[in-house]
Amino acid sequence: MAQGIFFFVVGPSGAGKDSLIEGARAQLGDTGRYVFARRTITRPSGAPGEDHIGVTEAQFSASVSAGAFLVTWDAHGLSYGLSADLLTALGEGCNVIANGSRKMIRQLAGLVPRLVVVEVTASLDVLAARILARGRENALEAGARVMRQVEPLPVDIETIRVNNDGALEQGVSAFVHALANASQRVRLRRVPISTGLERVAYLPLHSAVLSVGDYLGGSKVDLLADTASLSVQIQGLDAPGLLAADEIGLSEEAFAHWRVAEGAEIALRRTPSPASRQALIQKVQGQELGEPEYEMLLRDIIEGRYTDGEISAFLVSATRSLSDAEVVALARVRSRFSPTMTWDRPIVVDKHSMGGVPGSRITLLVVPIVAAHGLAMPKTSSRAITSAAGTADAMESVARVDLDIADVQRCVAEAGACIAWNGRLNHSRVDDVMNAITRPLGLDSNRWSVASILSKKLTAGSTHVVVDLPYGPRTKLRTQAQARELGDLFERVGAGLGLTVVAFATDGSRPIGRGIGPSLEVRDVRAVLANDPEAAQDLRDKALFFAGQILAWDPAIGSVEAGRRRAEELLTNGEANAAFERIIDAQGRRAPVLPGALTFAVCASAAGEVSALDGWRIGELARRAGAPADKSAGIDLKVGLGDRVTAGQCLYVIHGSNSADLQSASLLAQMSDGVTVTPIA
């Protein structure tokens, strides 16, 4: 049996709530489907107004102590309570109607299976006239009462509004109709129709319970059964042999997904809610939204209550206009859609890079340096989307990265840090829905990205975050000014979220390190950790810069300069190398992937000086060779910017393990190798 609905009736003085409830009692009281709650109030019974249970303050306090009330509140010098027995009525399938206070809505929503707020409204003139008619207040007092500011209704809780401006009969009719629309139930039936990925429900065109036309159209509808819900598209069906007049049918796929038994009583709720749809419209129009609106909107989006067209309109607007406050709100909301890690440490550090620079695998150096010092760094990283390697791809060539929360906590306890793939940890369901639409449309927004990135830092339990913002002709941020502007946004939003965030614009005009591709980048990292004199100096320097920034957050270090010195000490004395090995062991050591044995050398066609390295082109060649899926594939650079080369000298070597991929990469390199050699006069 489906549980009943708790209709919580609110509205200003003079709206006529009691009158509408009494009118509804006269029409619905004998149906057995509704329970009209009597409030317990600390005023004598028989006083003018509603039929209530009058008690003394001492009796009320005793009932509170005995757990007799579902909720209680104070107003106008009186105490009010609703009986806990109402939960029994709900469990038996009855709908409860109660007059209440809007300040109790949030608490009540967490106590009952389904809460529907019924807001009774009327114009200010009507409200004032009704208050005056009571004879308890003068015109000035009545005016002050109707103009009094009231707490706004929660936008994420189902609300229906009933206007009671006119005659009582009209108001009662509208009130009863609203209750019926929200509470009508039908029996579930499986329909032998396949709809593929679409979840479709069918209403008989001549339904004896519902007005089918009210549910047809583009918007989706929630089906409610006990605590389970399913968002579906409604279609009409004129087939009495398949659906009776009091039934609703589910397609094969929807029925298999929901797993609610045939014959179960189902309630329908139009979705998105009017408040949610209004929020979407406001954002499409370029208006600013708050945290409650974004939580409601994103929840409706990821639960499939909006069409792709509606989501696209929302995202187009959101990528064009988001205030700082909205970015903070979005980050907070997004973090609620992923599990959050908690740490019993005052400082938990993290690092993020906007990427776009081939090589530059500094995270695999920064993390062990920080861990060797003793700060906790549960680093979660992504896999490559358009590059030759992401941090998770590189780390996976030597260790397991698909960790869960328990694994991360264990690794931090054992090794002080981890370098894990975020797809299993704090990849938000929001990303799955949003990326499916934004990527084909080419939508991009730095502000939306900041909300996404910092939400992941929140769910990782971070307190301090350093951000690397590479700029250059082939990176996401073209100029230093753009990078600095985005860095300021990161820091402002971080402060709004209670995080300490510092961001730095860095040169992204050329590759960092020599290897491009998972195994080759790890090779470079190991060379730096081993203090190999042939190790890439640019990779080492950049890692020390960011490690120094992080270590400066330790009060015992105190400054960035001291942090840099401490980072270099840990690297030089081998403690960072040992920490890296501990992290690998904690995550699950794998036999290291070596650079692919199949190679093709790309050589200079003429002598001169290397004046430019096109990282984007070189990264494309590494991907053509098979990276990052083939962790042995990639590019091994043999020259750097400013080096002098002779004709025929090797510029780089392409590695791979698949001959067809290597041939494809070599042909592409012969068309354009990505290295500009300028003749020397």
Side-chain angles (χ1 to χ4, degrees):
M1 175 185 294
Q3 297 190 68
I5 303 168
F6 199 110
F7 291 101
F8 201 47
V9 185
V10 301
S13 296
K17 301 184 296 295
D18 291 330
S19 298
L20 296 188
I21 291 173
E22 286 306 309
R25 188 200 304 270
Q27 294 188 31
L28 304 173
D30 295 333
T31 64
R33 296 180 57 198
Y34 293 89
V35 170
F36 291 82
R38 288 181 71 201
R39 300 193 295 186
T40 298
I41 308 176
T42 54
R43 70 181 177 201
S45 300
E50 67 178 288
D51 177 24
H52 68 282
I53 302 170
V55 296
T56 64
E57 291 183 2
Q59 291 170 325
F60 191 91
S61 297
S63 296
V64 170
S65 300
F69 294 124
L70 177 62
V71 290
T72 63
W73 67 94
D74 295 322
H76 312 301
L78 300 172
S79 296
Y80 296 77
L82 290 172
S83 173
D85 292 340
L86 296 174
L87 286 176
T88 302
L90 293 171
E92 293 173 350
C94 291
N95 300 314
V96 171
I97 299 172
N99 187 350
S101 167
R102 65 179 62 219
K103 67 182 180 181
M104 302 308 299
I105 292 173
R106 180 67 64 190
Q107 178 183 344
L108 191 57
L111 299 174
V112 300
R114 180 185 173 194
L115 178 68
V116 175
V117 176
V118 183
E119 184 182 31
V120 180
T121 64
S123 67
L124 296 181
D125 290 344
V126 171
L127 294 176
R130 288 174 180 167
I131 293 171
L132 281 172
R134 297 173 180 172
R136 298 197 294 264
E137 293 160 296
N138 59 37
L140 185 61
E141 292 169 332
R145 180 180 281 260
V146 300
M147 295 302 294
R148 186 180 59 190
Q149 293 293 320
V150 296
E151 185 177 342
L153 296 176
V155 296
D156 58 331
I157 294 177
E158 186 177 359
T159 301
I160 53 180
R161 289 173 174 82
V162 175
N163 185 278
N164 191 29
D165 255 354
L168 179 59
E169 294 77 11
Q170 293 174 320
V172 171
S173 176
F175 185 69
V176 171
H177 182 72
L179 298 177
N181 276 348
S183 61
Q184 287 169 327
R185 295 190 179 94
V186 287
R187 291 183 296 110
L188 182 65
R189 185 165 180 176
R190 182 177 184 175
V191 175
I193 299 176
S194 180
T195 55
L197 296 176
E198 289 292 322
R199 294 172 188 169
V200 178
Y202 301 93
L203 284 173
L205 292 180
H206 303 292
S207 174
V209 181
L210 301 169
S211 175
V212 180
D214 290 346
Y215 295 93
L216 299 179
S219 297
K220 294 190 176 182
V221 171
D222 274 349
L223 306 185
L224 309 172
D226 292 329
T227 57
S229 67
L230 180 70
S231 184
V232 297
Q233 193 81 38
I234 295 290
Q235 295 184 10
L237 186 62
D238 187 12
L242 291 178
L243 278 182
D246 64 343
E247 291 181 328
I248 186 169
L250 272 185
S251 64
E252 293 281 5
E253 291 81 1
F255 187 87
H257 173 81
W258 204 21
R259 298 180 182 177
V260 172
E262 278 195 289
E265 284 190 336
I266 303 300
L268 277 69
R269 178 176 64 198
R270 291 178 184 84
T271 59
S273 68
S276 176
R277 185 167 293 284
Q278 180 62 30
L280 183 139
I281 291 171
Q282 288 174 333
K283 192 65 229 175
V284 169
Q285 293 174 343
Q287 298 181 41
E288 185 171 333
L289 301 182
E291 190 173 330
E293 288 84 6
Y294 276 118
E295 180 163 8
M296 175 176 54
L297 261 178
L298 293 190
R299 190 174 300 281
D300 282 345
I301 286 172
I302 66 175
E303 292 181 359
R305 296 190 174 107
Y306 282 107
T307 65
D308 286 351
E310 291 169 324
I311 299 172
S312 297
F314 165 73
L315 289 174
V316 167
S317 179
T319 54
R320 290 176 178 171
S321 64
L322 285 176
S323 67
D324 284 7
E326 286 181 292
V327 179
V328 172
L330 275 168
R332 284 202 183 107
V333 169
R334 289 174 65 99
S335 70
R336 295 176 193 142
F337 293 96
S338 300
T340 298
M341 289 180 271
T342 57
W343 306 96
D344 187 20
R345 301 194 185 210
I347 297 177
V348 178
V349 301
D350 207 336
K351 171 197 162 289
H352 180 80
S353 173
M354 293 299 283
V357 181
S360 194
R361 200 52 55 212
I362 66 167
T363 295
L364 270 63
L365 291 166
V366 171
V367 172
I369 291 172
V370 171
H373 176 71
L375 291 180
M377 193 168 183
K379 182 75 182 81
T380 63
S381 302
S382 61
R383 298 186 186 277
I385 298 175
T386 59
S387 65
T391 297
D393 298 309
M395 188 65 179
E396 196 172 33
S397 69
V398 293
R400 177 185 163 220
V401 296
D402 60 332
L403 310 183
D404 59 23
I405 289 178
D407 290 327
V408 170
Q409 292 171 329
R410 177 183 51 77
C411 287
V412 172
E414 294 176 4
C418 69
I419 304 170
W421 173 49
N422 62 19
R424 194 174 176 189
L425 292 163
N426 55 11
H427 176 76
S428 172
R429 289 183 295 161
V430 177
D431 293 323
D432 295 327
V433 177
M434 301 306 186
N435 291 343
I437 293 174
T438 55
R439 286 176 184 164
L441 292 177
L443 295 176
D444 194 12
S445 166
N446 286 336
R447 288 180 165 267
W448 188 271
S449 296
V450 168
S452 174
I453 292 162
L454 291 184
S455 73
K456 290 178 172 62
K457 305 313 175 188
L458 286 175
T459 58
S462 304
T463 61
H464 295 66
V465 182
V466 65
V467 182
D468 178 16
L469 301 172
Y471 62 90
R474 291 289 198 174
T475 63
K476 184 176 181 180
L477 303 167
R478 295 289 190 263
T479 67
Q480 187 177 37
Q482 289 178 333
R484 285 176 173 168
E485 181 182 358
L486 184 59
D488 290 342
L489 178 64
F490 264 109
E491 292 176 1
R492 292 196 306 271
V493 173
L497 296 169
L499 300 173
T500 298
V501 178
V502 293
F504 298 93
T506 60
D507 182 5
S509 62
R510 60 183 184 272
I512 302 291
R514 295 171 186 158
I516 300 167
S519 64
L520 288 157
E521 292 176 19
V522 170
R523 180 207 62 183
D524 285 357
V525 166
R526 285 194 179 279
V528 172
L529 288 169
N531 295 297
D532 186 333
E534 299 298 320
Q537 189 64 38
D538 56 353
L539 182 66
R540 184 180 190 273
D541 288 343
K542 188 170 182 180
L544 287 173
F545 173 81
F546 280 97
Q549 297 292 331
I550 292 173
L551 296 185
W553 283 320
D554 182 351
I557 296 294
S559 71
V560 171
E561 293 76 16
R564 169 70 184 241
R565 289 195 299 271
R566 174 62 172 155
E568 193 157 8
E569 174 190 354
L570 293 166
L571 192 57
T572 302
N573 66 19
E575 290 185 47
N577 197 7
F580 188 56
E581 298 302 326
R582 286 195 298 272
I583 293 168
I584 291 174
D585 286 333
Q587 291 187 204
R589 184 178 293 272
R590 290 179 171 174
V593 178
L594 300 178
L598 300 178
T599 62
F600 179 85
V602 175
C603 300
S605 58
E609 182 179 293
V610 177
S611 57
L613 290 170
D614 186 342
W616 182 85
R617 182 64 170 184
I618 294 170
E620 184 183 16
L621 292 172
R623 288 181 66 86
R624 187 67 65 92
D630 178 359
K631 291 182 170 48
S632 73
I635 303 292
D636 188 9
L637 288 171
K638 299 300 184 181
V639 297
L641 197 65
D643 287 353
R644 293 191 174 191
V645 298
T646 60
Q649 181 177 334
C650 181
L651 301 174
Y652 55 80
V653 176
I654 306 175
H655 287 262
S657 61
N658 181 286
S659 58
D661 289 341
L662 185 67
Q663 183 180 17
S664 176
S666 65
L667 290 174
L668 192 63
Q670 291 172 53
M671 296 170 58
S672 174
D673 58 27
V675 180
T676 301
V677 177
T678 303
I680 301 173

